[in-house]
Amino acid sequence: MHVLNKWLIDNSITRLAFAKKINISTATLSRYLSGDRIPKQSIMKKILEETKNEVTPSNFYTSQNKNIFNNNFFKKHLLGIEGLTKKEISSLLDRADSIVKQNKNNVIKQSYKGKTLVNLFFEDSTRTKTSFELAAKRLGMDVINMQIETSAIRKGESLLDTAMTLNAMRPDILVIRHSLSGAPHLLANKIRCSVINAGDGKHEHPTQALLDALAIKNRKGKIKNLKVAICGDIAHSRVARSNIKLLITMGAKVNIIAPSTLLPNGNNLLGAKAYTNMQQGLKDADIVMILRLQLERMQGSYIPSAKEYFRFYGLDRNKLNFAKKDALVMHPGPINRGVEIDSELADDINRTLILEQVELGVAIRMSVIEHLLNNNNLNNKK
Amino acid sequence: MIKKEHNKIAFINARIVDPDSGLDGLGELIVHNKLIKDVGRNLLNGSIPEDHLIINCKNNILCPGLIDMCSHLREPGEEYKENIESASKAALSGGITSMICMPDTNPIIDQISVIEFIARRARETNGVKIFPSASVTKGLQGKELTEIGLLQEAGAILFTEGDQALSNTKIMKQALEYAKTFDALIVQHPQDKDLSANGAMNSGALASKLGLPGISKVAEIIQVEKDLRLIENTGGKIHFINITTKEAILAINKAKKNGLNVSCSTSPHYFNSTEDSVDEWKTFAKVTPPLRKEEDRKYIFDALINRNIDLITSHHSPQDQDSKRIPFEQAEFGIIGLETLLPLSMELHFKGKMQIIDIIDKLSNKPAKLLNLKSGMLKKNYPADILIFDPNYSYKLNIDKIKSKSKNTLYENYNMRGKVLATIVDGRLMYKSSKFKIKSI
């Protein structure tokens, strides 16, 4: 809390009264308190007088005053949605939301100069990697991209070896994507900096779930009590897992819809209810989340063909009618048009959030990075 | 130490436990020249023969040395994980006097020269008795049979594909039929290859949550049921190792009732631990077949007590750090088990009230009989392969004191009950705990 704010509370003076006394508007005072603005010398003098030297100019020049936010997320790493509380998720979402608003006015300041983010991608990715890179650059960070061909990683020893090498480079944030579940957790145990999981095997993809949640919140105004239907290759999807965990933590109901071969073993997953029928699964849904069908599973033993899949599980306007009238469609991308979603529907900006999802991705990642850097600062000070 | 000149030893004040004769009570055991001379009560009539070394067992249990039917010694080929010498030391400190090593070494034990190599290394080590198994098929490829007759002649005690199932039905049928000619035992690790391909842990909610590919119980059940049909058809002889499911046990018992020559075993981790040990990608809990759910663990635990499982093996599978400190799906299977075989089996006594004599039966007498080994019982003129242990001594498993080269145990700092005091192989004291004092009189 700002020293001035504390002083006001301690002395039971309202912001309005104080603003009047020093002859500024309450809005200006709020900006001083939030750190978005620093008082002019003449006003500084007044503040000094009014507070009897208890609030000094130096109180307005703290190192973190440019992007102060209410941090309720105190973890060192973001490895998954698993284990996050409602409060922590809200903290990440709220900050991202305010970043979106500030972004529109271009007021984000490059306050993290000299910090380094390393993108360590063991699996191909365009949007996630770019999104992290953009987020870090908007925060003024240095970004190093390490694209490692999966084929070159013969054995996992190289993962720990890479960790050791990276340790020596002293990055502040490490973003990792790996084709094997739990790889970021293994790395997090061995590395000094904060680790962000950008997708591990079939396990989790937390920033995707966070940006999906933000997109839902922006359009529906809430997450609680919404019904979300997730349709597609649930068994092999890390996006589904992170989304189910997040949505259920935030009080939504989740249905999962897929042919039995693409449902996880035991069918119901992490509290979501499983359906093999689109009509039943989409009933009363506020949000329909379509997952990408991996090419390698489009033929063979999981599903006989893409054609058959689209006939029974591909989302088109007819099937969308099973959901609520104002139901919105989401897709983490990239889209297989005509396989999991009808091409024309995918382009309907009134019904889909697909482009919004991409846009919010940057804000979410900025928020996550900021939280983690913030926590690192706190820990270093201790 | 027992010196060379002590070719006559008298163990006194021992609680003699011999599953074969059913003897469980205080008594003495006399060893002359590597062999058991006599066993029973009041053998000495109160007088202490002057030419004998007297070992006072102080009411601790004296029983046949343990026989471990399934362990990976990693030599030749992976000596950085374990070798015959380190495995021998580990086995002796675990009360094991005979062990059967698995053929999945490099080179694979599918030819006489490798059998002879192991026999030579065992002679040089001169510790635990080592009996090599051989693979059923050349190169463990599951295609062509090995020279079962010649390998048996050279010393192969059983035939197995190690930690993989012989899944080709036709080859299995041929193997069972051909092995019958030599009365050779086929040992199967029952897990359907297609169903378990790429699997890393027990399938179910936890695997789904962790995003790991699962291995379902049906993979084990279907392989057991398939092989039982083949036994019925061929009249061969089979032993299933690492049984973890109720359905497999029921099928095996039904086959036994129908007179088929079939037996089965499990390993201590399957009745002491569950899939929950995987926690968050703990690779030490990655074993094949996978650890199952609590209900399965309980069933295996009870099945041992109810004599529905014939014996217990350590399934000792040493893995070095580079094989375990990697992502779960890439990590190798296995945990070490030689030094924890006895205390983990004793949990059947402490938690399940199983008689100690019945536990020792599954660890010594039963495997000896199955493999026709002259061991596993305290009988006149049998080799003096003996274990002395304190069943009530409890201690925390200290990973630094593990004698195995690899330390991949699930049971670090676990409270172990039952401590090996001394292990005697062919009348020689090969291991003695510092807790056990021998005073020659």
Side-chain angles (χ1 to χ4, degrees), chain A residues 9-148:
Chain A
I9 293 166
D10 288 348
N11 293 280
S12 316
I13 298 169
T14 63
R15 289 186 181 193
L16 183 70
F18 189 78
K20 260 188 186 166
K21 258 184 190 168
I22 59 171
N23 209 10
I24 55 167
S25 69
T26 43
T28 311
L29 180 60
S30 311
R31 282 193 201 107
Y32 293 163
L33 295 177
S34 69
D36 284 339
R37 205 154 138 192
I38 294 164
K40 281 190 288 188
Q41 215 176 347
S42 58
I43 293 170
M44 198 79 93
K45 212 173 159 188
K46 282 182 193 167
I47 294 172
L48 211 62
E49 279 168 15
E50 280 297 332
T51 60
K52 297 185 180 71
N53 294 341
E54 277 182 48
V55 180
T56 63
S58 64
N59 294 137
F60 293 91
Y61 288 97
T62 53
S63 62
Q64 288 292 314
N65 72 345
K66 284 168 186 162
N67 289 309
I68 289 175
F69 59 95
N70 198 7
N71 184 351
N72 277 318
F73 175 88
F74 295 111
K75 295 202 158 56
K76 191 184 178 201
H77 311 288
L78 179 68
L79 299 175
I81 299 296
E82 168 102 28
L84 297 192
T85 60
K86 225 176 190 166
K87 211 171 166 187
E88 287 173 309
I89 293 168
S90 296
S91 182
L92 295 169
L93 295 179
D94 292 347
R95 178 58 184 161
D97 198 38
S98 67
I99 288 171
V100 174
K101 282 171 188 144
Q102 290 176 41
N103 241 344
K104 282 185 179 144
N105 307 324
N106 265 335
V107 290
I108 279 287
K109 302 204 175 79
Q110 303 205 336
S111 43
Y112 297 98
K113 246 190 159 63
K115 302 277 183 192
T116 313
L117 178 138
V118 175
N119 265 334
L120 183 62
F121 277 64
F122 290 90
E123 228 183 34
D124 288 343
S125 157
T126 41
R127 49 189 76 205
T128 305
K129 197 175 80 179
T130 322
S131 177
F132 269 109
E133 188 170 354
L134 197 55
K137 284 185 170 161
R138 286 211 176 135
L139 291 168
M141 299 174 76
D142 297 322
V143 180
I144 299 167
N145 283 314
M146 297 180 70
Q147 181 82 41
I148 294 157

Side-chain angles (χ1 to χ4, degrees), chain A residues 276-291:
Chain A
T276 51
N277 179 299
M278 280 289 256
Q279 184 164 0
Q280 290 166 6
L282 290 177
K283 192 167 181 281
D284 296 332
D286 299 284
I287 301 285
V288 183
M289 211 179 262
I290 301 295
L291 299 175

Side-chain angles (χ1 to χ4, degrees), chain B residues 7 134 170 195 252 289 340 386:
Chain B
N7 50 15
K170 169 91 175 170
L195 287 175
I252 289 165
T340 49
I386 294 164

Side-chain angles (χ1 to χ4, degrees), chain A residues 186-234:
Chain A
L186 186 69
L187 207 61
N189 288 334
K190 291 284 156 222
I191 202 157
R192 284 188 220 105
C193 71
S194 291
V195 175
I196 301 175
N197 180 0
D200 63 325
K202 301 185 288 171
H203 179 236
E204 281 228 40
H205 190 354
T207 54
Q208 178 70 42
L210 286 164
L211 73 89
D212 288 345
L214 189 58
I216 294 172
K217 220 178 149 194
N218 281 354
R219 286 285 277 265
K220 292 281 178 191
K222 58 168 187 177
I223 296 174
K224 202 175 172 185
N225 295 329
L226 289 182
K227 195 170 201 182
V228 182
I230 308 179
C231 179
D233 184 359
I234 312 285

Side-chain angles (χ1 to χ4, degrees), chain B residues 122-315:
Chain B
R123 267 200 310 282
E124 285 165 9
T125 303
N126 196 15
V128 70
K129 293 178 179 172
I130 294 170
F131 300 92
S133 65
S135 64
V136 186
T137 65
K138 283 178 189 149
L140 294 172
Q141 295 292 313
K143 285 173 189 154
E144 298 166 57
L145 295 185
T146 51
E147 298 161 323
I148 290 177
L150 291 174
L151 285 163
Q152 193 183 46
E153 230 173 45
I157 195 161
L158 57 88
F159 295 83
T160 177
E161 298 285 271
D163 281 357
Q164 52 174 316
L166 179 52
S167 57
N168 185 312
T169 318
K170 169 91 175 170
I171 304 290
M172 186 53 149
K173 181 172 181 287
Q174 303 284 66
L176 288 168
E177 254 166 5
Y178 190 74
K180 212 166 66 172
T181 324
F182 303 97
D183 196 28
L185 177 67
I186 304 280
V187 170
Q188 173 83 309
H189 169 87
Q191 184 164 282
D192 184 273
K193 266 189 179 165
D194 298 323
L195 287 175
S196 61
N198 303 321
M201 70 171 290
N202 188 35
S203 63
L206 186 59
S208 283
K209 191 184 105 179
L210 293 174
L212 292 173
I215 301 171
S216 68
K217 290 200 283 181
V218 77
E220 174 172 314
I221 300 160
I222 215 162
Q223 188 68 52
V224 166
E225 287 181 343
K226 193 169 95 168
D227 291 338
L228 287 174
R229 278 284 172 224
L230 290 176
I231 290 291
E232 193 181 65
N233 183 260
T234 59
K237 160 162 95 164
I238 200 165
H239 177 87
F240 295 106
I241 47 173
N242 305 321
I243 292 293
T244 64
T245 61
K246 175 184 175 181
E247 292 81 356
I249 292 170
L250 292 178
I252 289 165
N253 280 319
K254 196 174 153 218
K256 275 184 193 168
K257 277 199 190 109
N258 291 340
L260 302 190
N261 203 340
V262 47
S263 55
C264 68
S265 62
T266 190
S267 299
H269 36 280
Y270 297 118
F271 57 85
N272 279 293
S273 300
T274 65
E275 63 172 11
D276 293 338
S277 303
V278 173
D279 191 20
E280 286 211 317
W281 303 278
K282 291 220 170 81
T283 55
F284 280 13
K286 185 178 179 182
V287 289
T288 178
L291 296 172
R292 309 271 186 204
K293 291 192 169 56
E294 172 57 22
E295 67 207 50
D296 306 303
R297 183 207 66 78
K298 182 80 173 46
Y299 192 89
I300 297 298
F301 192 90
D302 293 340
L304 279 159
I305 296 172
N306 301 332
R307 304 180 185 202
N308 288 329
I309 296 177
D310 300 275
L311 48 108
I312 305 170
T313 75
S314 75
H315 201 208

Side-chain angles (χ1 to χ4, degrees), chain A residues 82 154-157 159-160 178 180-183 185-186 190 200 202-203 241 245 264-265 269-270, chain B residues 203-205 207-214 216 280-281 322-330 332:
Chain A
E82 168 102 28
R154 194 182 51 83
K155 264 192 141 189
E157 292 106 308
L159 185 63
L160 288 188
H178 201 284
L180 296 174
S181 307
H185 302 70
L186 186 69
K190 291 284 156 222
D200 63 325
K202 301 185 288 171
H203 179 236
R241 279 171 180 75
K245 284 174 193 167
N265 190 285
L269 176 65
L270 308 158
Chain B
S203 63
S208 283
K209 191 184 105 179
L210 293 174
L212 292 173
S216 68
E280 286 211 317
W281 303 278
D322 286 347
S323 310
K324 282 290 193 185
R325 276 169 63 175
I326 48 179
F328 198 89
E329 283 165 72
Q330 284 178 333
E332 300 278 355

Side-chain angles (χ1 to χ4, degrees), chain B residues 55-73:
Chain B
I55 294 178
N56 188 344
C57 298
K58 294 179 186 158
N59 297 340
N60 287 305
I61 290 178
L62 184 152
C63 65
L66 310 186
I67 298 168
D68 183 11
M69 213 179 106
C70 173
S71 46
H72 298 270
L73 306 192

